[in-house]
Amino acid sequence: ELKVEQNPLFLSMQEGKNYTIYCNYSTTSDRLYWYRQDPGKSLESLFVLLSNGAVKQEGRLMASLDTKARLSTLHITAAVHDLSATYFCAANTNAGKSTFGDGTTLTVKP
Amino acid sequence: EAQVTQNPRYLITVTGKKLTVTCSQNMNHEYMSWYRQDPGLGLRQIYYSMNVEVTDKGDVPEGYKVSRKEKRNFPLILESPSPNQTSLYFCASSLWTGSDEQYFGPGTRLTVT
């Protein structure tokens, strides 16, 4: 059974600081997603990572995947208030099964 | 506009009264999936479909049914809803090829009394 562990669950940051969210998964996964959810809203796709060593960047967010360590990271650079949200990782098999982490609630303070 | 639509957005119903939540996408996506989101339990997959007439159970399929008769629609059916199915439900779709992202619907908040 595929399990996904995300940490930290809560993160309070100051603007301008850097931080990393970690996503560990228990068995082989074929693709790893990162999503953002704002309060009361739906989920928005941020990144899809398919292969070992994959790195994707969008603005202040960068995601990477290490399939050997079964670890994905979401790195936040020079945080700004607009990045405050809940971030989820999800590990998927090619057969379509999807398992989410519990989410990391990020608060960026001035 | 490319989108996933769900109806209804909000529903309050009583135990045992059959209901259907519709999900439709206009992107010709092969893959569709249903999730429920509960405080403290995160998002859990209910059912998914890789193509028309192909559906599979996710982690929490009990009490739910789905069908995929057309590519664009993937309704979620609760034959006899119970209070423990009170939740926020999301439908999602994807091309499921390469690095295609998954698109989520706006959500359906269901309360079963």
Side-chain angles (χ1 to χ4, degrees):
Chain A
E1 180 188 349
L2 179 57
K3 294 189 178 180
V4 178
E5 189 175 305
Q6 210 174 315
N7 66 83
L9 297 183
F10 299 94
L11 179 55
S12 182
M13 295 175 65
Q14 279 195 302
E15 279 191 331
K17 298 291 187 184
N18 304 333
Y19 210 85
T20 301
I21 299 171
Y22 296 89
C23 176
N24 290 273
Y25 53 97
S26 60
T27 64
T28 302
S29 168
D30 299 303
R31 56 188 68 201
L32 196 292
Y33 292 82
W34 283 96
Y35 299 97
R36 170 182 171 142
Q37 186 178 36
D38 291 298
K41 303 289 186 183
S42 184
L43 282 84
E44 172 193 354
S45 284
L46 295 173
F47 302 107
V48 181
L49 303 167
L50 298 180
S51 57
N52 188 44
V55 176
K56 290 195 175 179
Q57 183 160 7
E58 181 76 34
R60 300 174 189 275
L61 300 178
M62 184 174 72
S64 66
L65 179 63
D66 181 343
T67 58
K68 293 177 183 176
R70 294 181 185 152
L71 171 68
S72 180
T73 61
L74 181 67
H75 186 72
I76 302 154
T77 302
V80 294
H81 179 72
D82 285 352
L83 290 179
S84 296
T86 298
Y87 294 86
F88 292 95
C89 66
N92 289 44
T93 69
N94 274 339
K97 193 91 183 297
S98 180
T99 303
F100 277 73
D102 287 338
T104 296
T105 299
L106 171 65
T107 304
V108 181
K109 299 180 176 179
Chain B
E1 181 192 351
Q3 61 183 349
V4 179
T5 57
Q6 293 179 228
N7 282 293
R9 295 287 312 280
Y10 303 91
L11 179 61
I12 301 174
T13 189
V14 295
T15 298
K17 186 176 180 183
K18 181 179 178 179
L19 66 93
T20 299
V21 183
T22 65
C23 173
S24 184
Q25 49 90 6
N26 62 0
M27 297 167 277
N28 202 35
H29 284 169
E30 303 287 337
Y31 177 85
M32 298 186 76
S33 183
W34 276 103
Y35 304 90
R36 61 177 288 174
Q37 185 174 27
D38 302 288
L41 294 174
L43 280 106
R44 293 175 292 169
Q45 192 178 39
I46 303 171
Y47 271 96
Y48 59 97
S49 169
M50 295 295 283
N51 211 328
V52 175
E53 301 294 356
V54 179
T55 62
D56 259 309
K57 296 178 181 179
D59 288 325
V60 288
E62 296 79 18
Y64 304 95
K65 284 175 60 176
V66 291
S67 68
R68 187 94 182 270
K69 294 188 172 72
E70 310 165 273
K71 188 183 261 193
R72 64 182 290 127
N73 296 321
F74 191 44
L76 180 69
I77 302 156
L78 285 72
E79 294 268 4
S80 183
S82 63
N84 64 13
Q85 293 178 298
T86 292
S87 187
L88 178 58
Y89 291 87
F90 288 104
C91 178
S93 73
S94 168
L95 270 176
W96 207 254
T97 59
S99 60
D100 191 64
E101 63 183 275
Q102 199 164 186
Y103 294 80
F104 279 76
T108 295
R109 186 165 292 282
L110 172 66
T111 302
V112 183
T113 61

